[in-house]
Amino acid sequence: MTDPAPAAPSAPASATAASAADVPPMPAELAASRRAWRKALLERRAALPPAERTRADAAIAQQLRAALEGEDGTLGFYWPIQSEFDARPAVTDWLLGGGLRRAALPVVVRRNAPLIFRAWTPATVMRPAGFGTSVPADGETLVPAVLLVPLVGFDDAGYRLGYGGGYYDRTLAALQPRPRTLGIGYAACRLDSIVPQAFDLRLDRLIIG
């Protein structure tokens, strides 16, 4: 699928992860392109026909369950907003496997800072956190070994277009060791390229429906 917005400049020869302090300003033309892509993709995702969404959600759930088989430890995931895939049923089933399995949700502690991850179970008391999302009202802070990352858009090289806040990029740059990342999204939101910059981090795997 081609980009839903005018083409942006070519990607730099090298796009390796940098710390937040090292991130240069994004070129104005690319920033404008990403805003246009983001708007178009969010509208496209929200408008997916029910039958298409049902098929896509089933495909994502099947791939996700398979990807989590054999994983033990802490799984970071996300509270779904703006027509994102809802990973909670798959995460709940994964937790039932017992062992050392724990789940955690991201929490913004302050603007432009890495996220923290707070322990979650289906019984966790949640509180609103703005932008339609919710976070655990309290609980233990955990470090994920595997992280599910929501995709507004993506390209086949494994780069992600998010909501524009940069929280996941800062978080992944800060976490040591870096968790294994699984990007979750819809095929309708594929881009030719997000034109990755130094601060854009390649995901380890894409799970697309």
Side-chain angles (χ1 to χ4, degrees):
M1 176 174 293
T2 57
D3 295 347
S10 299
S14 175
T16 56
S19 69
D22 297 330
V23 174
M26 188 184 300
E29 183 181 356
L30 177 56
S33 291
R34 287 194 179 184
R35 285 193 296 271
W37 296 341
R38 188 175 293 115
K39 180 177 184 296
L41 292 173
L42 287 172
E43 291 173 354
R44 182 180 299 175
R45 187 170 72 189
L48 283 175
E52 182 178 345
R53 181 178 295 278
T54 297
R55 288 193 297 270
D57 284 347
I60 293 171
Q62 182 179 25
Q63 294 175 67
L64 178 56
R65 292 173 194 274
L68 294 178
E69 284 183 7
E71 290 288 350
D72 231 4
T74 298
L75 171 67
F77 72 112
Y78 58 90
W79 194 265
I81 62 172
Q82 297 195 53
S83 303
E84 291 173 338
F85 172 78
D86 186 353
R88 288 173 293 181
V91 172
T92 298
D93 289 347
W94 176 79
L95 286 171
L96 293 175
L100 301 175
R101 296 179 179 187
R102 304 191 70 184
L105 286 168
V107 178
V108 175
V109 290
R110 63 180 183 278
R111 188 174 181 180
N112 297 328
L115 301 163
I116 64 166
F117 292 85
R118 195 168 286 165
W120 177 89
T121 73
T124 296
V125 175
M126 306 293 290
R127 63 170 176 82
F131 302 101
T133 193
S134 296
V135 299
D138 54 27
E140 185 181 355
T141 298
L142 303 175
V143 177
V146 179
L147 181 59
L148 308 187
V149 183
L151 309 174
V152 173
F154 67 96
D155 62 29
D156 287 336
Y159 289 102
R160 164 187 182 265
L161 181 71
Y163 290 98
Y167 285 99
Y168 278 97
D169 291 321
R170 283 188 289 273
T171 301
L172 290 171
L175 287 175
Q176 296 297 328
R178 176 181 158 172
R180 186 164 75 95
T181 50
L182 308 178
I184 311 292
Y186 293 100
C189 297
R190 177 181 279 108
L191 294 164
D192 289 340
S193 175
I194 74 157
V195 190
Q197 303 296 289
F199 51 83
D200 290 306
L201 293 162
R202 190 193 302 266
L203 301 173
D204 295 310
R205 177 173 174 179
L206 297 176
I207 295 179
I208 305 300

